[in-house]
Amino acid sequence: MNDEAPRPGPELCSEAEVEQLVRRFYARMRADALLGPIFESHVHDWEPHITQLVDFWSAMLRGTRRFAGAPMPKHLALPGLEWPLFERWLGLFTQTTAELGNPAMQQLADASAQRVATAIWGRYSNQRFPLFG
Ligand code: HEM
């Protein structure tokens, strides 16, 4: 039995599993009444966006180094984000990871998503309601 938290690496999951996660998650998000319109108004060319997200999740889960984006400034520039939207995002994400049949991947993906969501929201809310300066 292995009680240790899963670590990123090529044995955790395949590229095909990463792509399946991203495509299923985005299908859910685009159909969501609150999140869908945010993506539709900012993402005009879907395939490059999906590729960017596959590269991001491949880095998080498999430790690859293709991702060269800048998620923090892109999210800081989005108007009207609130924590409940992040909770909704996380709800759709964890529903998707639960369906993939790879519990170690699920555990690392869910923990990483939670950590990044908290980090983005921390910066976002501080930008709007600065605690310092
Ligand atoms: C309320 C929650 C969120 C909303 C509404 C949201 C929305 C968006 C939108 C509209 C973009 C495209 C921005 C652009 O290309 O200008 C984007 C990009 C991205 N998002 Fe999110 N996001 C959310 C949470 C998250 C979380 C929690 C993560 C990671 C765990 C994440 C990862 C990314 C990544 C990697 C990109 C691509 C960044 C790049 O192109 O450099 N997002 N998001």
Side-chain angles (χ1 to χ4, degrees):
M1 201 166 109
N2 176 10
D3 288 335
E4 290 192 9
R7 295 167 59 86
E11 52 303 306
L12 184 76
C13 59
S14 64
E15 281 296 317
E17 285 177 291
V18 173
E19 180 159 354
Q20 191 184 33
L21 162 62
V22 170
R23 289 196 183 275
R24 286 195 186 195
F25 176 52
Y26 267 76
R28 277 210 162 97
M29 224 153 39
R30 289 181 77 173
D32 184 82
L34 295 182
L35 291 167
I38 301 179
F39 282 89
E40 297 304 333
S41 68
H42 287 91
V43 179
H44 304 295
D45 202 352
W46 277 94
E47 277 310 307
H49 183 67
I50 296 284
T51 302
Q52 186 78 313
L53 269 289
V54 169
D55 288 352
F56 174 79
W57 282 107
S58 176
M60 302 290 269
L61 300 173
R62 306 187 74 240
T64 56
R65 295 175 168 270
R66 300 189 307 272
F67 181 66
M72 194 56 91
K74 292 208 164 155
H75 293 97
L76 293 182
L78 296 176
L81 296 191
E82 298 291 346
W83 177 248
L85 276 176
F86 284 89
E87 286 185 322
R88 204 169 167 107
W89 187 109
L90 287 166
L92 298 182
F93 188 84
T94 56
Q95 260 179 50
T96 311
T97 58
E99 288 171 359
L100 300 178
N102 181 337
M105 176 189 185
Q106 175 186 6
Q107 196 184 329
L108 184 59
D110 290 356
S112 307
Q114 179 74 45
R115 185 164 51 76
V116 175
T118 308
I120 297 173
W121 174 247
R123 289 279 295 276
Y124 190 93
S125 54
N126 191 56
Q127 162 185 265
R128 215 167 17 152
F129 309 110
L131 294 172
F132 307 104

